Amino acid sequence: MAAGVITTPPGQPVPQRLAMLQREIRGLLGELTPAVVALERVLFQVNVRTAMGVGQAAGVVMAEAVAAGCEVVEYSPNQVKLATCGDGAAGKDQVARMVQMLLGLPEPLRPADTSDAAAVALCHLAQSPTVPPPATAGTAPLPAR
């Protein structure tokens, strides 16, 4: 398993940031060749600007995944928390601790977004009985990009 976060410079215009994200996702899809890409569904947020940015980024990821031949699945935040923690209202810290425990990691994944992404993957594994469990516990960081 690999886990990490793709960041773009906050001062860059949105189109350039999305293009950077697209290149990174395309590279990761080519390198890791997943069959499925699981995403957390973007739900209504109080901050419309944040919701728009997350939605745009998710759209880039979905389009690149489909173009690479991947199945794309989405899970609500409550589904992810329920599958990972057994409680659809679990907090971020609880999700991070459960991800750590389920993956047999010595410490929680950081930053928190990495743990959240791993929780989405674990949710997909829980929802897909045909997917074999990971062969070994532990995680490797993604190469620096």
Side-chain angles (χ1 to χ4, degrees):
M1 180 184 146
V5 173
I6 296 171
T7 58
T8 60
Q12 290 287 319
V14 170
Q16 282 73 18
R17 293 178 75 185
L18 292 173
M20 288 177 203
L21 174 64
Q22 181 182 31
R23 284 190 297 274
E24 294 296 324
I25 292 297
R26 188 176 291 162
L28 287 170
L29 291 169
E31 180 182 332
L32 301 173
T33 63
V36 178
V37 171
L39 298 165
E40 188 171 87
R41 188 175 302 120
V42 179
L43 298 179
F44 174 79
Q45 294 182 358
V46 175
N47 186 335
V48 174
R49 187 178 180 129
T50 299
M52 290 290 296
V54 172
Q56 290 170 324
V60 167
V61 172
M62 286 189 245
E64 284 298 320
V66 169
C70 301
E71 176 187 358
V72 174
V73 294
E74 293 182 279
Y75 298 100
S76 72
N78 287 356
Q79 285 176 295
V80 173
K81 293 171 186 179
L82 185 62
T84 307
C85 301
D87 179 0
K92 279 187 145 325
D93 288 343
Q94 187 178 359
V95 171
R97 285 192 309 273
M98 286 303 294
V99 166
Q100 175 188 359
M101 186 187 80
L102 290 168
L103 295 178
L105 302 172
E107 57 189 47
L109 293 170
R110 296 286 180 235
D113 291 338
T114 306
S115 186
D116 293 345
V120 174
L122 289 167
C123 175
H124 179 68
L125 288 173
Q127 302 294 325
S128 304
T130 59
V131 177
T136 59
T139 183
L142 290 173
R145 292 194 178 273

